[in-house]
Amino acid sequence: MDVKKIYMDANALLEGHFKLSSGNHSGVYLQSAKVLEDPKNAKKLADALAQQIKASGLEIDTICAPALGGLIAGFALATALDKRSIFAERVDKVMTIRRGFEISKGERVMICEDIITTGGSAMEAAKAIEEMGGIVVGFAALANRGFCDRANSDITKKPNCKLPDGVPFFALDDFTFEMYAPQDCPLCKEGKSEAIKPGSRGN
Ligand code: ZN
């Protein structure tokens, strides 16, 4: 499946000068919400991801998505796997399981994001699940931003990947666009534009 083409066709692969949630700058921004606004895309991507997860034989009880970015991907994946779908959300900056969602002791939970960059939010959701007695058995995302290693790809793990060793990570593709620390950003050095955060200025 050509995930990059699906993103491009949905105008979800933006080119410009962007500030990512990690604080880094990039010339490319992935706006997964634009892909997932078509439920057919959500289903197609989640079905392909579910196939990969089923083929691995990993046993899962529940999918948990960190809000807000992971919500649609998580729900679509849970639908494709016929599992329970819950989400974690930030309360005073701390990723928390609310809404009356319960986790039984030993419940096998997969954390699902739209895109995993370093896996920071995914790990915060994992911590919230573990504090309630669940076991995080895997991570999933529609695409991997290239810092973490994943099943079925020979991409190598970079030092800033926060996902733990020994817990499988499933994604459909690797999107390895360059990212820069703000002080090293060539787009900033050009001086023609300021990095913007898509979604925060009406786009
Ligand atoms: Zn910049």
Side-chain angles (χ1 to χ4, degrees), residues 21 63-75 85-91 93-99 101 110-115 120-126 128-129:
S21 52
I63 303 293
C64 176
L68 191 64
L71 281 184
I72 298 170
F75 182 80
S85 174
I86 65 170
F87 57 89
E89 60 200 296
R90 282 186 206 283
V91 179
K93 296 186 180 167
V94 180
M95 202 62 92
T96 311
I97 308 291
R98 302 175 66 206
R99 317 269 169 178
F101 293 142
M110 171 170 270
I111 308 293
C112 180
E113 271 279 20
D114 53 349
I115 306 248
S121 304
M123 286 307 292
E124 289 175 56
I129 292 291

PDB file of all heavy atoms in Angstrom, residues 21 63-75 85-91 93-99 101 110-115 120-126 128-129:
ATOM      1  N   SER A  21       5.316  19.193  16.838  1.00  0.00           N
ATOM      2  CA  SER A  21       4.975  19.197  18.267  1.00  0.00           C
ATOM      3  C   SER A  21       6.205  18.921  19.138  1.00  0.00           C
ATOM      4  O   SER A  21       6.250  19.312  20.295  1.00  0.00           O
ATOM      5  CB  SER A  21       3.843  18.211  18.571  1.00  0.00           C
ATOM      6  OG  SER A  21       4.156  16.950  18.051  1.00  0.00           O
ATOM      7  N   ILE A  63      -7.523  -1.396  22.309  1.00  0.00           N
ATOM      8  CA  ILE A  63      -6.702  -0.375  21.656  1.00  0.00           C
ATOM      9  C   ILE A  63      -6.895   0.925  22.437  1.00  0.00           C
ATOM     10  O   ILE A  63      -8.034   1.327  22.709  1.00  0.00           O
ATOM     11  CB  ILE A  63      -7.162  -0.137  20.198  1.00  0.00           C
ATOM     12  CG1 ILE A  63      -7.140  -1.427  19.374  1.00  0.00           C
ATOM     13  CG2 ILE A  63      -6.322   0.970  19.537  1.00  0.00           C
ATOM     14  CD1 ILE A  63      -5.783  -2.010  19.114  1.00  0.00           C
ATOM     15  N   CYS A  64      -5.791   1.575  22.770  1.00  0.00           N
ATOM     16  CA  CYS A  64      -5.866   2.876  23.451  1.00  0.00           C
ATOM     17  C   CYS A  64      -5.127   3.923  22.625  1.00  0.00           C
ATOM     18  O   CYS A  64      -3.970   3.731  22.261  1.00  0.00           O
ATOM     19  CB  CYS A  64      -5.244   2.787  24.841  1.00  0.00           C
ATOM     20  SG  CYS A  64      -5.204   4.383  25.693  1.00  0.00           S
ATOM     21  N   ALA A  65      -5.810   5.016  22.304  1.00  0.00           N
ATOM     22  CA  ALA A  65      -5.217   6.076  21.495  1.00  0.00           C
ATOM     23  C   ALA A  65      -4.972   7.309  22.356  1.00  0.00           C
ATOM     24  O   ALA A  65      -5.846   7.717  23.121  1.00  0.00           O
ATOM     25  CB  ALA A  65      -6.157   6.443  20.352  1.00  0.00           C
ATOM     26  N   PRO A  66      -3.789   7.930  22.256  1.00  0.00           N
ATOM     27  CA  PRO A  66      -3.606   9.217  22.905  1.00  0.00           C
ATOM     28  C   PRO A  66      -4.383  10.293  22.125  1.00  0.00           C
ATOM     29  O   PRO A  66      -4.182  10.436  20.921  1.00  0.00           O
ATOM     30  CB  PRO A  66      -2.095   9.467  22.801  1.00  0.00           C
ATOM     31  CG  PRO A  66      -1.485   8.190  22.275  1.00  0.00           C
ATOM     32  CD  PRO A  66      -2.573   7.454  21.574  1.00  0.00           C
ATOM     33  N   ALA A  67      -5.262  11.011  22.813  1.00  0.00           N
ATOM     34  CA  ALA A  67      -6.026  12.092  22.178  1.00  0.00           C
ATOM     35  C   ALA A  67      -5.074  13.264  21.953  1.00  0.00           C
ATOM     36  O   ALA A  67      -4.120  13.437  22.703  1.00  0.00           O
ATOM     37  CB  ALA A  67      -7.179  12.497  23.079  1.00  0.00           C
ATOM     38  N   LEU A  68      -5.272  14.093  21.011  1.00  0.00           N
ATOM     39  CA  LEU A  68      -6.377  14.066  20.081  1.00  0.00           C
ATOM     40  C   LEU A  68      -5.984  13.336  18.790  1.00  0.00           C
ATOM     41  O   LEU A  68      -6.816  12.701  18.145  1.00  0.00           O
ATOM     42  CB  LEU A  68      -6.760  15.535  19.780  1.00  0.00           C
ATOM     43  CG  LEU A  68      -8.051  15.803  19.044  1.00  0.00           C
ATOM     44  CD1 LEU A  68      -9.261  15.375  19.839  1.00  0.00           C
ATOM     45  CD2 LEU A  68      -8.150  17.291  18.732  1.00  0.00           C
ATOM     46  N   GLY A  69      -4.692  13.412  18.466  1.00  0.00           N
ATOM     47  CA  GLY A  69      -4.212  12.916  17.176  1.00  0.00           C
ATOM     48  C   GLY A  69      -4.531  11.461  16.881  1.00  0.00           C
ATOM     49  O   GLY A  69      -4.807  11.096  15.742  1.00  0.00           O
ATOM     50  N   GLY A  70      -4.491  10.608  17.904  1.00  0.00           N
ATOM     51  CA  GLY A  70      -4.634   9.174  17.664  1.00  0.00           C
ATOM     52  C   GLY A  70      -6.059   8.663  17.634  1.00  0.00           C
ATOM     53  O   GLY A  70      -6.312   7.496  17.298  1.00  0.00           O
ATOM     54  N   LEU A  71      -7.019   9.539  17.984  1.00  0.00           N
ATOM     55  CA  LEU A  71      -8.403   9.062  18.196  1.00  0.00           C
ATOM     56  C   LEU A  71      -8.988   8.297  17.017  1.00  0.00           C
ATOM     57  O   LEU A  71      -9.516   7.201  17.181  1.00  0.00           O
ATOM     58  CB  LEU A  71      -9.329  10.256  18.474  1.00  0.00           C
ATOM     59  CG  LEU A  71      -9.307  10.823  19.879  1.00  0.00           C
ATOM     60  CD1 LEU A  71     -10.358  11.931  19.999  1.00  0.00           C
ATOM     61  CD2 LEU A  71      -9.559   9.739  20.903  1.00  0.00           C
ATOM     62  N   ILE A  72      -8.901   8.865  15.828  1.00  0.00           N
ATOM     63  CA  ILE A  72      -9.583   8.255  14.678  1.00  0.00           C
ATOM     64  C   ILE A  72      -8.843   6.990  14.249  1.00  0.00           C
ATOM     65  O   ILE A  72      -9.461   5.954  13.996  1.00  0.00           O
ATOM     66  CB  ILE A  72      -9.728   9.272  13.524  1.00  0.00           C
ATOM     67  CG1 ILE A  72     -10.580  10.448  13.998  1.00  0.00           C
ATOM     68  CG2 ILE A  72     -10.345   8.619  12.293  1.00  0.00           C
ATOM     69  CD1 ILE A  72     -10.598  11.622  13.058  1.00  0.00           C
ATOM     70  N   ALA A  73      -7.515   7.074  14.216  1.00  0.00           N
ATOM     71  CA  ALA A  73      -6.724   5.894  13.853  1.00  0.00           C
ATOM     72  C   ALA A  73      -6.983   4.765  14.850  1.00  0.00           C
ATOM     73  O   ALA A  73      -7.158   3.603  14.462  1.00  0.00           O
ATOM     74  CB  ALA A  73      -5.237   6.243  13.805  1.00  0.00           C
ATOM     75  N   GLY A  74      -7.025   5.108  16.131  1.00  0.00           N
ATOM     76  CA  GLY A  74      -7.251   4.099  17.175  1.00  0.00           C
ATOM     77  C   GLY A  74      -8.609   3.449  17.056  1.00  0.00           C
ATOM     78  O   GLY A  74      -8.739   2.221  17.136  1.00  0.00           O
ATOM     79  N   PHE A  75      -9.622   4.266  16.829  1.00  0.00           N
ATOM     80  CA  PHE A  75     -10.981   3.737  16.681  1.00  0.00           C
ATOM     81  C   PHE A  75     -11.083   2.848  15.443  1.00  0.00           C
ATOM     82  O   PHE A  75     -11.679   1.769  15.483  1.00  0.00           O
ATOM     83  CB  PHE A  75     -11.987   4.892  16.591  1.00  0.00           C
ATOM     84  CG  PHE A  75     -13.414   4.433  16.495  1.00  0.00           C
ATOM     85  CD1 PHE A  75     -14.110   4.045  17.631  1.00  0.00           C
ATOM     86  CD2 PHE A  75     -14.044   4.364  15.269  1.00  0.00           C
ATOM     87  CE1 PHE A  75     -15.419   3.600  17.544  1.00  0.00           C
ATOM     88  CE2 PHE A  75     -15.358   3.922  15.164  1.00  0.00           C
ATOM     89  CZ  PHE A  75     -16.041   3.539  16.311  1.00  0.00           C
ATOM     90  N   SER A  85     -12.163  -0.030  22.147  1.00  0.00           N
ATOM     91  CA  SER A  85     -11.451   1.198  21.786  1.00  0.00           C
ATOM     92  C   SER A  85     -11.586   2.227  22.896  1.00  0.00           C
ATOM     93  O   SER A  85     -12.696   2.643  23.234  1.00  0.00           O
ATOM     94  CB  SER A  85     -12.051   1.750  20.485  1.00  0.00           C
ATOM     95  OG  SER A  85     -11.492   2.998  20.173  1.00  0.00           O
ATOM     96  N   ILE A  86     -10.449   2.620  23.468  1.00  0.00           N
ATOM     97  CA  ILE A  86     -10.476   3.668  24.502  1.00  0.00           C
ATOM     98  C   ILE A  86      -9.434   4.726  24.147  1.00  0.00           C
ATOM     99  O   ILE A  86      -8.675   4.552  23.202  1.00  0.00           O
ATOM    100  CB  ILE A  86     -10.208   3.099  25.921  1.00  0.00           C
ATOM    101  CG1 ILE A  86      -8.793   2.535  26.028  1.00  0.00           C
ATOM    102  CG2 ILE A  86     -11.232   2.035  26.287  1.00  0.00           C
ATOM    103  CD1 ILE A  86      -8.387   2.175  27.467  1.00  0.00           C
ATOM    104  N   PHE A  87      -9.417   5.803  24.908  1.00  0.00           N
ATOM    105  CA  PHE A  87      -8.379   6.811  24.656  1.00  0.00           C
ATOM    106  C   PHE A  87      -7.888   7.437  25.943  1.00  0.00           C
ATOM    107  O   PHE A  87      -8.555   7.399  26.979  1.00  0.00           O
ATOM    108  CB  PHE A  87      -8.875   7.882  23.679  1.00  0.00           C
ATOM    109  CG  PHE A  87     -10.125   8.618  24.081  1.00  0.00           C
ATOM    110  CD1 PHE A  87     -10.044   9.771  24.839  1.00  0.00           C
ATOM    111  CD2 PHE A  87     -11.375   8.156  23.687  1.00  0.00           C
ATOM    112  CE1 PHE A  87     -11.201  10.458  25.202  1.00  0.00           C
ATOM    113  CE2 PHE A  87     -12.529   8.838  24.045  1.00  0.00           C
ATOM    114  CZ  PHE A  87     -12.454   9.988  24.810  1.00  0.00           C
ATOM    115  N   ALA A  88      -6.699   7.988  25.848  1.00  0.00           N
ATOM    116  CA  ALA A  88      -6.094   8.727  26.955  1.00  0.00           C
ATOM    117  C   ALA A  88      -6.077  10.189  26.556  1.00  0.00           C
ATOM    118  O   ALA A  88      -6.000  10.511  25.372  1.00  0.00           O
ATOM    119  CB  ALA A  88      -4.668   8.232  27.195  1.00  0.00           C
ATOM    120  N   GLU A  89      -6.190  11.073  27.512  1.00  0.00           N
ATOM    121  CA  GLU A  89      -6.191  12.507  27.210  1.00  0.00           C
ATOM    122  C   GLU A  89      -5.418  13.255  28.287  1.00  0.00           C
ATOM    123  O   GLU A  89      -5.263  12.767  29.403  1.00  0.00           O
ATOM    124  CB  GLU A  89      -7.635  13.023  27.140  1.00  0.00           C
ATOM    125  CG  GLU A  89      -8.392  12.837  28.437  1.00  0.00           C
ATOM    126  CD  GLU A  89      -9.895  12.883  28.229  1.00  0.00           C
ATOM    127  OE1 GLU A  89     -10.391  13.939  27.824  1.00  0.00           O
ATOM    128  OE2 GLU A  89     -10.565  11.872  28.508  1.00  0.00           O
ATOM    129  N   ARG A  90      -4.961  14.436  27.919  1.00  0.00           N
ATOM    130  CA  ARG A  90      -4.173  15.204  28.873  1.00  0.00           C
ATOM    131  C   ARG A  90      -5.070  15.971  29.840  1.00  0.00           C
ATOM    132  O   ARG A  90      -6.005  16.641  29.426  1.00  0.00           O
ATOM    133  CB  ARG A  90      -3.288  16.203  28.142  1.00  0.00           C
ATOM    134  CG  ARG A  90      -2.080  15.554  27.549  1.00  0.00           C
ATOM    135  CD  ARG A  90      -1.144  16.588  26.949  1.00  0.00           C
ATOM    136  NE  ARG A  90      -0.360  15.953  25.907  1.00  0.00           N
ATOM    137  CZ  ARG A  90       0.676  15.145  26.156  1.00  0.00           C
ATOM    138  NH1 ARG A  90       1.056  14.921  27.406  1.00  0.00           N
ATOM    139  NH2 ARG A  90       1.324  14.575  25.175  1.00  0.00           N
ATOM    140  N   VAL A  91      -4.772  15.822  31.122  1.00  0.00           N
ATOM    141  CA  VAL A  91      -5.421  16.629  32.151  1.00  0.00           C
ATOM    142  C   VAL A  91      -4.273  17.313  32.880  1.00  0.00           C
ATOM    143  O   VAL A  91      -3.405  16.626  33.435  1.00  0.00           O
ATOM    144  CB  VAL A  91      -6.223  15.738  33.130  1.00  0.00           C
ATOM    145  CG1 VAL A  91      -6.863  16.607  34.212  1.00  0.00           C
ATOM    146  CG2 VAL A  91      -7.273  14.929  32.390  1.00  0.00           C
ATOM    147  N   LYS A  93      -1.742  18.587  31.558  1.00  0.00           N
ATOM    148  CA  LYS A  93      -0.533  18.106  30.853  1.00  0.00           C
ATOM    149  C   LYS A  93      -0.200  16.634  31.122  1.00  0.00           C
ATOM    150  O   LYS A  93       0.762  16.115  30.558  1.00  0.00           O
ATOM    151  CB  LYS A  93       0.687  18.987  31.183  1.00  0.00           C
ATOM    152  CG  LYS A  93       0.521  20.415  30.683  1.00  0.00           C
ATOM    153  CD  LYS A  93       1.782  21.213  30.897  1.00  0.00           C
ATOM    154  CE  LYS A  93       1.600  22.636  30.386  1.00  0.00           C
ATOM    155  NZ  LYS A  93       2.652  23.532  30.827  1.00  0.00           N
ATOM    156  N   VAL A  94      -0.958  15.972  31.997  1.00  0.00           N
ATOM    157  CA  VAL A  94      -0.637  14.576  32.298  1.00  0.00           C
ATOM    158  C   VAL A  94      -1.605  13.662  31.547  1.00  0.00           C
ATOM    159  O   VAL A  94      -2.825  13.815  31.650  1.00  0.00           O
ATOM    160  CB  VAL A  94      -0.731  14.288  33.819  1.00  0.00           C
ATOM    161  CG1 VAL A  94      -0.405  12.830  34.112  1.00  0.00           C
ATOM    162  CG2 VAL A  94       0.204  15.216  34.570  1.00  0.00           C
ATOM    163  N   MET A  95      -1.085  12.722  30.769  1.00  0.00           N
ATOM    164  CA  MET A  95      -1.916  11.785  30.011  1.00  0.00           C
ATOM    165  C   MET A  95      -2.660  10.886  30.991  1.00  0.00           C
ATOM    166  O   MET A  95      -2.050  10.252  31.853  1.00  0.00           O
ATOM    167  CB  MET A  95      -1.011  10.979  29.076  1.00  0.00           C
ATOM    168  CG  MET A  95      -1.709  10.365  27.897  1.00  0.00           C
ATOM    169  SD  MET A  95      -2.482  11.539  26.751  1.00  0.00           S
ATOM    170  CE  MET A  95      -1.160  11.793  25.566  1.00  0.00           C
ATOM    171  N   THR A  96      -3.993  10.883  30.862  1.00  0.00           N
ATOM    172  CA  THR A  96      -4.851  10.275  31.871  1.00  0.00           C
ATOM    173  C   THR A  96      -5.942   9.453  31.190  1.00  0.00           C
ATOM    174  O   THR A  96      -6.410   9.815  30.109  1.00  0.00           O
ATOM    175  CB  THR A  96      -5.529  11.406  32.692  1.00  0.00           C
ATOM    176  OG1 THR A  96      -4.525  12.336  33.105  1.00  0.00           O
ATOM    177  CG2 THR A  96      -6.239  10.883  33.913  1.00  0.00           C
ATOM    178  N   ILE A  97      -6.355   8.374  31.819  1.00  0.00           N
ATOM    179  CA  ILE A  97      -7.494   7.592  31.341  1.00  0.00           C
ATOM    180  C   ILE A  97      -8.721   8.064  32.130  1.00  0.00           C
ATOM    181  O   ILE A  97      -8.751   7.933  33.354  1.00  0.00           O
ATOM    182  CB  ILE A  97      -7.286   6.071  31.586  1.00  0.00           C
ATOM    183  CG1 ILE A  97      -5.934   5.601  31.031  1.00  0.00           C
ATOM    184  CG2 ILE A  97      -8.446   5.267  31.023  1.00  0.00           C
ATOM    185  CD1 ILE A  97      -5.801   5.596  29.535  1.00  0.00           C
ATOM    186  N   ARG A  98      -9.690   8.644  31.430  1.00  0.00           N
ATOM    187  CA  ARG A  98     -10.878   9.184  32.107  1.00  0.00           C
ATOM    188  C   ARG A  98     -12.133   8.549  31.520  1.00  0.00           C
ATOM    189  O   ARG A  98     -12.091   7.449  31.002  1.00  0.00           O
ATOM    190  CB  ARG A  98     -10.946  10.695  31.919  1.00  0.00           C
ATOM    191  CG  ARG A  98      -9.753  11.444  32.415  1.00  0.00           C
ATOM    192  CD  ARG A  98      -9.864  12.909  32.070  1.00  0.00           C
ATOM    193  NE  ARG A  98     -10.957  13.583  32.760  1.00  0.00           N
ATOM    194  CZ  ARG A  98     -11.586  14.667  32.307  1.00  0.00           C
ATOM    195  NH1 ARG A  98     -11.226  15.204  31.165  1.00  0.00           N
ATOM    196  NH2 ARG A  98     -12.571  15.213  32.979  1.00  0.00           N
ATOM    197  N   ARG A  99     -13.237   9.260  31.554  1.00  0.00           N
ATOM    198  CA  ARG A  99     -14.489   8.871  30.880  1.00  0.00           C
ATOM    199  C   ARG A  99     -15.061   7.557  31.400  1.00  0.00           C
ATOM    200  O   ARG A  99     -15.830   6.904  30.708  1.00  0.00           O
ATOM    201  CB  ARG A  99     -14.278   8.744  29.363  1.00  0.00           C
ATOM    202  CG  ARG A  99     -13.448   9.830  28.734  1.00  0.00           C
ATOM    203  CD  ARG A  99     -14.259  10.965  28.268  1.00  0.00           C
ATOM    204  NE  ARG A  99     -13.372  12.077  27.911  1.00  0.00           N
ATOM    205  CZ  ARG A  99     -13.799  13.220  27.421  1.00  0.00           C
ATOM    206  NH1 ARG A  99     -15.075  13.409  27.198  1.00  0.00           N
ATOM    207  NH2 ARG A  99     -12.965  14.184  27.156  1.00  0.00           N
ATOM    208  N   PHE A 101     -13.504   4.806  31.625  1.00  0.00           N
ATOM    209  CA  PHE A 101     -12.827   3.636  31.042  1.00  0.00           C
ATOM    210  C   PHE A 101     -12.150   2.846  32.157  1.00  0.00           C
ATOM    211  O   PHE A 101     -11.451   3.419  32.991  1.00  0.00           O
ATOM    212  CB  PHE A 101     -11.746   4.073  30.038  1.00  0.00           C
ATOM    213  CG  PHE A 101     -12.269   4.722  28.793  1.00  0.00           C
ATOM    214  CD1 PHE A 101     -11.592   5.796  28.232  1.00  0.00           C
ATOM    215  CD2 PHE A 101     -13.413   4.252  28.149  1.00  0.00           C
ATOM    216  CE1 PHE A 101     -12.034   6.404  27.061  1.00  0.00           C
ATOM    217  CE2 PHE A 101     -13.871   4.854  26.978  1.00  0.00           C
ATOM    218  CZ  PHE A 101     -13.184   5.932  26.434  1.00  0.00           C
ATOM    219  N   MET A 110      -2.910  -2.291  23.260  1.00  0.00           N
ATOM    220  CA  MET A 110      -2.040  -1.744  22.212  1.00  0.00           C
ATOM    221  C   MET A 110      -2.292  -0.243  22.122  1.00  0.00           C
ATOM    222  O   MET A 110      -3.436   0.207  22.084  1.00  0.00           O
ATOM    223  CB  MET A 110      -2.338  -2.402  20.866  1.00  0.00           C
ATOM    224  CG  MET A 110      -1.639  -1.728  19.695  1.00  0.00           C
ATOM    225  SD  MET A 110      -1.765  -2.682  18.174  1.00  0.00           S
ATOM    226  CE  MET A 110      -0.288  -3.683  18.306  1.00  0.00           C
ATOM    227  N   ILE A 111      -1.218   0.548  22.098  1.00  0.00           N
ATOM    228  CA  ILE A 111      -1.333   2.002  21.970  1.00  0.00           C
ATOM    229  C   ILE A 111      -1.292   2.340  20.477  1.00  0.00           C
ATOM    230  O   ILE A 111      -0.369   1.921  19.775  1.00  0.00           O
ATOM    231  CB  ILE A 111      -0.163   2.720  22.686  1.00  0.00           C
ATOM    232  CG1 ILE A 111      -0.003   2.238  24.145  1.00  0.00           C
ATOM    233  CG2 ILE A 111      -0.323   4.237  22.597  1.00  0.00           C
ATOM    234  CD1 ILE A 111      -1.125   2.586  25.076  1.00  0.00           C
ATOM    235  N   CYS A 112      -2.278   3.107  20.008  1.00  0.00           N
ATOM    236  CA  CYS A 112      -2.333   3.445  18.578  1.00  0.00           C
ATOM    237  C   CYS A 112      -2.353   4.954  18.363  1.00  0.00           C
ATOM    238  O   CYS A 112      -3.185   5.662  18.929  1.00  0.00           O
ATOM    239  CB  CYS A 112      -3.555   2.808  17.928  1.00  0.00           C
ATOM    240  SG  CYS A 112      -3.696   3.186  16.164  1.00  0.00           S
ATOM    241  N   GLU A 113      -1.447   5.424  17.542  1.00  0.00           N
ATOM    242  CA  GLU A 113      -1.315   6.840  17.166  1.00  0.00           C
ATOM    243  C   GLU A 113      -1.598   6.994  15.679  1.00  0.00           C
ATOM    244  O   GLU A 113      -1.603   6.005  14.951  1.00  0.00           O
ATOM    245  CB  GLU A 113       0.134   7.282  17.407  1.00  0.00           C
ATOM    246  CG  GLU A 113       0.407   7.822  18.788  1.00  0.00           C
ATOM    247  CD  GLU A 113      -0.021   9.274  18.923  1.00  0.00           C
ATOM    248  OE1 GLU A 113      -0.840   9.762  18.116  1.00  0.00           O
ATOM    249  OE2 GLU A 113       0.472   9.930  19.850  1.00  0.00           O
ATOM    250  N   ASP A 114      -1.777   8.210  15.189  1.00  0.00           N
ATOM    251  CA  ASP A 114      -1.814   8.395  13.740  1.00  0.00           C
ATOM    252  C   ASP A 114      -0.393   8.259  13.187  1.00  0.00           C
ATOM    253  O   ASP A 114      -0.112   7.445  12.329  1.00  0.00           O
ATOM    254  CB  ASP A 114      -2.482   9.729  13.348  1.00  0.00           C
ATOM    255  CG  ASP A 114      -1.882  10.945  14.043  1.00  0.00           C
ATOM    256  OD1 ASP A 114      -1.086  10.777  14.992  1.00  0.00           O
ATOM    257  OD2 ASP A 114      -2.194  12.069  13.637  1.00  0.00           O
ATOM    258  N   ILE A 115       0.532   9.050  13.754  1.00  0.00           N
ATOM    259  CA  ILE A 115       1.932   8.986  13.349  1.00  0.00           C
ATOM    260  C   ILE A 115       2.790   8.893  14.599  1.00  0.00           C
ATOM    261  O   ILE A 115       2.537   9.624  15.558  1.00  0.00           O
ATOM    262  CB  ILE A 115       2.343  10.278  12.602  1.00  0.00           C
ATOM    263  CG1 ILE A 115       1.385  10.544  11.447  1.00  0.00           C
ATOM    264  CG2 ILE A 115       3.811  10.229  12.190  1.00  0.00           C
ATOM    265  CD1 ILE A 115       1.912  10.426  10.086  1.00  0.00           C
ATOM    266  N   GLY A 120       6.702   9.878  22.133  1.00  0.00           N
ATOM    267  CA  GLY A 120       6.512  10.521  23.434  1.00  0.00           C
ATOM    268  C   GLY A 120       5.097  10.406  23.981  1.00  0.00           C
ATOM    269  O   GLY A 120       4.890   9.917  25.093  1.00  0.00           O
ATOM    270  N   SER A 121       4.097  10.823  23.184  1.00  0.00           N
ATOM    271  CA  SER A 121       2.703  10.748  23.656  1.00  0.00           C
ATOM    272  C   SER A 121       2.274   9.300  23.852  1.00  0.00           C
ATOM    273  O   SER A 121       1.551   8.980  24.799  1.00  0.00           O
ATOM    274  CB  SER A 121       1.757  11.389  22.636  1.00  0.00           C
ATOM    275  OG  SER A 121       2.131  12.705  22.378  1.00  0.00           O
ATOM    276  N   ALA A 122       2.734   8.428  22.958  1.00  0.00           N
ATOM    277  CA  ALA A 122       2.389   7.002  23.066  1.00  0.00           C
ATOM    278  C   ALA A 122       2.901   6.434  24.382  1.00  0.00           C
ATOM    279  O   ALA A 122       2.203   5.686  25.072  1.00  0.00           O
ATOM    280  CB  ALA A 122       2.976   6.225  21.884  1.00  0.00           C
ATOM    281  N   MET A 123       4.107   6.834  24.769  1.00  0.00           N
ATOM    282  CA  MET A 123       4.677   6.333  26.023  1.00  0.00           C
ATOM    283  C   MET A 123       3.954   6.901  27.240  1.00  0.00           C
ATOM    284  O   MET A 123       3.820   6.229  28.263  1.00  0.00           O
ATOM    285  CB  MET A 123       6.174   6.667  26.109  1.00  0.00           C
ATOM    286  CG  MET A 123       7.035   5.815  25.213  1.00  0.00           C
ATOM    287  SD  MET A 123       6.764   4.034  25.444  1.00  0.00           S
ATOM    288  CE  MET A 123       7.436   3.825  27.094  1.00  0.00           C
ATOM    289  N   GLU A 124       3.468   8.149  27.119  1.00  0.00           N
ATOM    290  CA  GLU A 124       2.697   8.717  28.230  1.00  0.00           C
ATOM    291  C   GLU A 124       1.375   7.958  28.402  1.00  0.00           C
ATOM    292  O   GLU A 124       0.938   7.700  29.516  1.00  0.00           O
ATOM    293  CB  GLU A 124       2.416  10.198  27.975  1.00  0.00           C
ATOM    294  CG  GLU A 124       3.650  11.064  28.088  1.00  0.00           C
ATOM    295  CD  GLU A 124       3.339  12.508  27.702  1.00  0.00           C
ATOM    296  OE1 GLU A 124       2.430  13.098  28.313  1.00  0.00           O
ATOM    297  OE2 GLU A 124       3.973  13.016  26.766  1.00  0.00           O
ATOM    298  N   ALA A 125       0.751   7.596  27.274  1.00  0.00           N
ATOM    299  CA  ALA A 125      -0.485   6.807  27.343  1.00  0.00           C
ATOM    300  C   ALA A 125      -0.183   5.430  27.915  1.00  0.00           C
ATOM    301  O   ALA A 125      -0.953   4.891  28.723  1.00  0.00           O
ATOM    302  CB  ALA A 125      -1.115   6.698  25.955  1.00  0.00           C
ATOM    303  N   ALA A 126       0.950   4.848  27.516  1.00  0.00           N
ATOM    304  CA  ALA A 126       1.343   3.518  28.009  1.00  0.00           C
ATOM    305  C   ALA A 126       1.506   3.544  29.531  1.00  0.00           C
ATOM    306  O   ALA A 126       1.070   2.631  30.235  1.00  0.00           O
ATOM    307  CB  ALA A 126       2.645   3.085  27.339  1.00  0.00           C
ATOM    308  N   ALA A 128       0.008   5.545  31.621  1.00  0.00           N
ATOM    309  CA  ALA A 128      -1.321   5.651  32.238  1.00  0.00           C
ATOM    310  C   ALA A 128      -2.006   4.279  32.273  1.00  0.00           C
ATOM    311  O   ALA A 128      -2.663   3.923  33.266  1.00  0.00           O
ATOM    312  CB  ALA A 128      -2.177   6.658  31.465  1.00  0.00           C
ATOM    313  N   ILE A 129      -1.853   3.502  31.209  1.00  0.00           N
ATOM    314  CA  ILE A 129      -2.443   2.157  31.149  1.00  0.00           C
ATOM    315  C   ILE A 129      -1.801   1.254  32.204  1.00  0.00           C
ATOM    316  O   ILE A 129      -2.482   0.522  32.939  1.00  0.00           O
ATOM    317  CB  ILE A 129      -2.234   1.536  29.731  1.00  0.00           C
ATOM    318  CG1 ILE A 129      -3.061   2.273  28.679  1.00  0.00           C
ATOM    319  CG2 ILE A 129      -2.524   0.042  29.733  1.00  0.00           C
ATOM    320  CD1 ILE A 129      -4.553   2.095  28.785  1.00  0.00           C
TER     321      ILE A 129
END
